[in-house]
Amino acid sequence: MSGKPLQPCLVIHRRDYRNSSLLLELFTLDEGRMPAIARGAKSGRAPRAALLQPFTPLQVSFSGKGEIKTLGQVEPEGQVFSLNGKRLYCGFYLNELLMRLLQRNDPHQQLFAHYVTVLSALANGASIDECLRDFEVKLLRELGYALLLDRECETHTPVVADKLYAYVIEQGPLESPQHDSAVSVDVHGRTLLCLQHGLAMDRTTRLEAKALMRRILAFYLGDKPLKSRELFRGFVQPE
Amino acid sequence: MASQPLLDQLITALRCLPGVGAKTAQRMSYYLLDRDREGGKHLARVLAEAMQQIGHCSRCRTLTEMEVCRLCANPQRDASLLCVVETPADQSMIEQAIDYRGRYFVLGGHLSPLDGIGPREIGLDLLDQRLAEGEVEEMILATNATVEGEATAQYIHDMAKARSIKTTRIAHGVPMGGELEYVDGVTLAHAFRGRAEF
């Protein structure tokens, strides 16, 4: 075996390839999102398929020169983030966001750290809404779409918790009372400040934050809706 | 433009099979043409018929050329037990290995939002109708021990819970004849959590 350096990564998605191989989409610390093939992962005496799953922190090495690298060594790195029930769907939601918004081979070391943090928080029973909103804000910031949350976008005065703002996408909170729901979302200052600082939210703030982030993400995601949201609908009652 | 020689067409066509590359396809073609024309003709006939006629069972979604598959139509089968599997291959594996007398529901995949596969794509609306009929008393979730299989099981469990139907999940862990030393940590952790009273 060659002594190629190992690097931390998590599997975002996997699908079967040929008889016993897996085609993986990885989120690595040093290279961002990248595809890789794990040859023979499902066969042999010690199949690696059990390790090569989403939400399992790994250390891996690669070889090959093309876009799709071949996976070499795979080592587990600590405990699996065990997500149950709705938290598992949240994990899929996060992965779908990464898959849709991250470009391949574009390193985001900070975002990788945020991703590990949010998975660990979800696995340890933290509030689902707060975890997801916090990650969404950080994700957009890392991608270069940082949201203006603590200042009014025209006057640049600090946002006041009790005031109602109209949040204009790609600009920020606007104090003027004009309402055009096609381009803006009504939101209280308190919600904006919670999002900015990752603070604990009450029920109203949570709903407002969810509606706001959904509109903002929809803007960056384009027409195709997120499939993982379907999992939350229907039979599973919202919290 | 001259059309491709028939032999080349045959070789190319055979490559649509999984695990069959150019070399194997060529060997298969020569074998059928040189040694076993009858077998080849028979294969062609059966293949054409199968592709034409085989569809999905309207009850359990498994592959069958009938409206309702043999298993679903069999009155000897216990209708209060329903085993949910991902593929027809999983179903036949259980059929062969275990003396299971209940019925099946074949999803034809698992929930995988990143591949665009949601609850509707794996027939969960049909499964919900089936549960609504009230015949099923216990549902055995035999989806794969992958993250996606787990999510699928969870989703179906929630559906069943809404209708107060008991669900069980097949056990995961150390394979028979397996030595703990060679089992990976993830599997071992699962086996440990799911330990049963001795």
Side-chain angles (χ1 to χ4, degrees), chain B residues 103-120:
Chain B
R103 297 213 157 119
Y104 292 92
F105 190 86
V106 182
L107 300 170
H110 47 228
L111 288 177
S112 177
L114 277 75
D115 290 320
I117 298 173
R120 209 162 307 117

Side-chain angles (χ1 to χ4, degrees), chain A residues 1-238:
Chain A
M1 288 302 282
S2 65
K4 289 217 167 59
L6 292 173
Q7 62 166 313
C9 90
L10 281 125
V11 173
I12 303 182
H13 185 52
R14 73 172 204 178
R15 68 180 66 155
D16 293 341
Y17 178 71
R18 300 258 173 99
N19 275 343
S20 62
S21 302
L22 290 171
L23 183 56
L24 306 164
E25 196 72 31
L26 303 172
F27 186 21
T28 65
L29 176 65
D30 299 325
E31 277 156 82
R33 175 164 86 88
M34 60 179 282
I37 285 186
R39 292 200 191 282
K42 294 195 288 178
S43 64
R45 185 156 179 188
R48 297 185 290 171
L51 281 179
L52 292 167
Q53 293 211 70
F55 321 124
T56 309
L58 301 169
Q59 290 267 1
V60 297
S61 68
F62 303 102
S63 59
K65 291 202 176 70
E67 193 196 358
I68 303 183
K69 302 277 192 288
T70 303
L71 207 62
Q73 217 179 330
V74 180
E75 302 282 343
E77 163 98 336
Q79 297 266 319
V80 179
F81 298 115
S82 75
L83 305 175
N84 298 314
K86 220 172 113 181
R87 290 168 190 273
L88 185 53
Y89 306 159
C90 292
F92 283 124
Y93 169 73
L94 295 175
N95 286 358
E96 196 175 8
L97 278 184
L98 290 177
M99 198 78 169
R100 293 277 297 273
L101 292 173
L102 275 185
Q103 295 294 317
R104 275 181 174 173
N105 303 97
D106 185 9
H108 284 284
Q109 299 199 335
Q110 205 58 48
L111 185 63
F112 185 84
H114 293 322
Y115 180 57
V116 172
T117 313
V118 70
L119 287 181
S120 147
L122 280 174
N124 289 316
S127 152
I128 289 180
D129 281 85
E130 283 160 32
C131 285
L132 296 184
R133 297 300 90 74
D134 192 47
F135 182 76
E136 289 162 355
V137 170
K138 285 173 174 162
L139 172 67
L140 291 176
R141 191 180 298 152
E142 291 301 324
L143 293 175
Y145 307 127
L147 305 175
L148 181 65
L149 296 166
D150 58 347
R151 293 189 173 270
E152 214 268 355
C153 71
E154 278 184 347
T155 59
H156 297 282
T157 49
V159 160
V160 179
D162 291 330
K163 270 192 189 158
L164 189 66
Y165 295 87
Y167 197 97
V168 185
I169 289 164
E170 288 231 290
Q171 292 184 35
L174 206 62
E175 211 181 316
S176 62
Q178 63 171 18
H179 290 293
D180 181 3
S181 60
V183 290
S184 70
V185 187
D186 285 347
V187 62
H188 281 93
R190 184 173 298 107
T191 307
L192 296 172
L193 292 173
C194 281
L195 284 173
Q196 169 77 14
H197 302 294
L199 303 176
M201 302 181 197
D202 58 26
R203 201 182 137 71
T204 344
T205 339
R206 235 180 255 155
L207 290 175
E208 267 192 13
K210 190 175 188 172
L212 175 67
M213 291 312 292
R214 182 171 287 204
R215 280 287 290 276
I216 295 174
L217 284 170
F219 176 81
Y220 294 111
L221 286 166
D223 296 333
K224 206 176 137 200
L226 287 171
K227 196 78 183 172
S228 42
R229 286 216 180 105
E230 282 185 16
L231 297 178
F232 294 95
R233 275 187 232 131
F235 309 99
V236 185
Q237 296 303 310

Side-chain angles (χ1 to χ4, degrees), chain A residues 17-20, chain B residues 13-21 24 28:
Chain A
Y17 178 71
R18 300 258 173 99
N19 275 343
S20 62
Chain B
L14 282 170
R15 290 187 58 183
C16 77
L17 292 165
V20 174
T24 316
M28 287 174 167

